[in-house]
Amino acid sequence: MIMPLGEIALPIIDLKGYTEPKSPGDRQLVIEQVRDAARQYGFFQVKGHGIPLALQGDLLRCMSNVFNLPENEKLKMSFLENPCRRGYEASGMSHREGDALPDAKECFFVGREDPEVELSGFYGPNVWPNLPEADFRGPVWSYYQKTSELGKTIWSILLEGLNRPLELVEQFAKRPIVPMKMIRYPPHSQSAVGQFGIGAHTDFGGVTILFQQPGKDGLEVWHEGREEWIEVPALEDVYVINCGDMVQRWSGNAYKSARHRVINKADGERMSCATFWHGDVHATNPLQPDDPNKETVGLLLAKRFRNQYSFTKEFLAEVGVGAT
């Protein structure tokens, strides 16, 4: 059952109170709003995020450009052939356990731009389509940098919500793992019965920054208390933020990682873009600095992606896999 919007809705928080406070209490108000939403829902919406509306429009244009390339051109950039898992994912390549059918979406992945493949592919170069700079790489890279900055801000707020020293963010953000996934969903009429755009799941890592194509609804968040799905409307210039499993684990369940799914309810195609901000691969828990576990971001990611990356013994030892 889907819960009507009139009964409950994710809060919309203006981040300018934190980034550009005009009175002494502005920052603390935002910290409390984010803390409460992350505890109750694991999700919240933000405005005043610093990502220009024009850049959001450029991103949509660039996504259309890459997804409208001939299929054979897209498959030449397959993320399955890339050591860093960058590039193109065709519809039907992602199938979650428990779902009757694979996801209907297609995706294109980018991440930090590093010259060489390092740490078994967590760092490395991107795959860029053969399109003019202004039609993809330029705007996409500008957008990526803006959402990466936003992710660091959200982590800062989450830390302050637990009364942790803000300086912990700098070490955590030294060289963060920040993949970005551009997504196109086919029209609802083209999906098979029982097929989701993305099946129900939780995000495995840190903080997710989600852009939804305005007016193209589809995201639903599971509310445990009422055992119902909350529809999250796709509003112009409003981003959806959620906490992943790493945040819930490292916060001692103070913050929640909630299940969510996507069902394209629009007549036509729907696009979105998710930036996942995980932290430095060697960083330990900033939400509980005294955590005796001392597991690193890299350790958690290695456990999650063991079947997708070819990890070297040296990398596994460096992130502490052998110690657990």
Side-chain angles (χ1 to χ4, degrees):
M1 180 178 179
I2 299 172
M3 184 177 295
L5 281 172
E7 293 184 25
I8 191 168
L10 298 180
I12 299 177
I13 301 167
D14 190 347
L15 293 182
K16 281 191 175 179
Y18 183 84
T19 58
E20 302 174 22
K22 294 183 178 178
S23 64
D26 286 353
R27 280 176 60 90
Q28 187 59 34
L29 177 60
V30 173
I31 292 166
E32 292 173 0
Q33 290 173 330
V34 168
R35 180 198 62 204
D36 293 347
R39 282 178 172 172
Q40 183 175 359
Y41 304 110
F43 273 78
F44 52 94
Q45 302 175 89
V46 297
K47 60 182 182 179
H49 41 68
I51 303 172
L53 192 58
L55 186 57
Q56 297 171 42
D58 286 342
L59 176 71
L60 284 172
R61 177 177 57 82
C62 292
M63 289 169 66
S64 291
N65 290 341
V66 73
F67 289 129
N68 288 333
L69 288 172
E71 193 68 17
N72 66 318
E73 289 296 316
K74 291 188 287 187
L75 291 175
K76 288 177 183 177
M77 300 181 287
S78 174
F79 80 118
L80 295 176
E81 305 299 323
N82 185 276
C84 302
R85 289 298 189 264
R86 314 283 175 88
Y88 178 68
E89 176 189 324
S91 176
M93 283 186 174
S94 179
H95 194 170
R96 288 174 178 79
E97 185 177 350
D99 287 352
L101 296 167
D103 292 347
K105 71 181 188 312
E106 58 180 328
C107 306
F108 197 93
F109 297 89
V110 299
R112 283 179 55 97
E113 187 67 68
D114 292 292
E116 303 291 337
V117 176
E118 300 177 55
L119 293 177
S120 295
F122 277 132
Y123 299 115
N126 284 305
V127 175
W128 298 106
N130 186 21
L131 289 166
E133 177 84 6
D135 289 340
F136 193 79
R137 183 170 182 168
V140 166
W141 186 243
S142 294
Y143 180 88
Y144 174 86
Q145 291 177 304
K146 284 289 186 183
T147 53
S148 185
E149 292 169 8
L150 177 57
K152 183 180 177 181
T153 298
I154 298 297
W155 266 101
S156 300
I157 297 171
L158 290 173
L159 282 169
E160 292 203 81
L162 297 180
N163 298 312
R164 306 304 183 216
L166 194 55
E167 55 265 25
L168 288 174
V169 174
E170 295 310 316
Q171 185 64 29
F172 191 66
K174 191 173 181 180
R175 196 182 179 196
I177 303 292
V178 187
M180 187 174 89
K181 177 167 68 174
M182 292 164 273
I183 311 167
R184 181 169 74 171
Y185 302 91
H188 183 68
S189 59
Q190 292 182 16
S191 298
V193 176
Q195 186 177 36
F196 296 100
I198 298 179
H201 65 287
T202 59
D203 289 347
F204 61 87
V207 165
T208 303
I209 302 103
L210 178 68
F211 165 77
Q212 301 189 92
Q213 185 176 6
K216 302 277 189 174
D217 296 349
L219 177 63
E220 298 174 358
V221 176
W222 182 249
H223 191 285
E224 287 185 350
R226 301 194 185 188
E227 297 187 343
E228 293 178 330
W229 291 99
I230 304 171
E231 292 182 338
V232 184
L235 304 175
E236 184 176 67
D237 207 23
V238 172
Y239 277 72
V240 180
I241 310 295
N242 68 280
C243 300
D245 298 342
M246 183 173 75
V247 172
Q248 177 169 317
R249 178 186 178 93
W250 277 0
S251 69
N253 298 318
Y255 297 137
K256 181 181 295 186
S257 177
R259 291 170 62 217
H260 50 287
R261 66 185 185 186
V262 175
I263 303 173
N264 184 11
K265 302 176 178 70
D267 293 334
E269 66 182 27
R270 175 186 186 268
M271 289 190 287
S272 66
C273 183
T275 304
F276 306 95
W277 210 102
H278 301 314
D280 187 282
V281 71
H282 297 108
T284 53
N285 185 357
L287 296 169
Q288 295 190 77
D290 297 329
D291 187 347
N293 198 313
K294 299 304 177 185
E295 59 191 3
T296 62
V297 170
L299 171 61
L300 294 179
L301 293 178
K303 287 180 176 180
R304 172 63 174 79
F305 289 114
R306 254 182 166 156
N307 295 328
Q308 298 181 37
Y309 286 77
S310 297
F311 294 126
T312 64
K313 291 181 180 179
E314 290 77 13
F315 167 76
L316 294 175
E318 188 169 343
V319 299
V321 170
T324 60

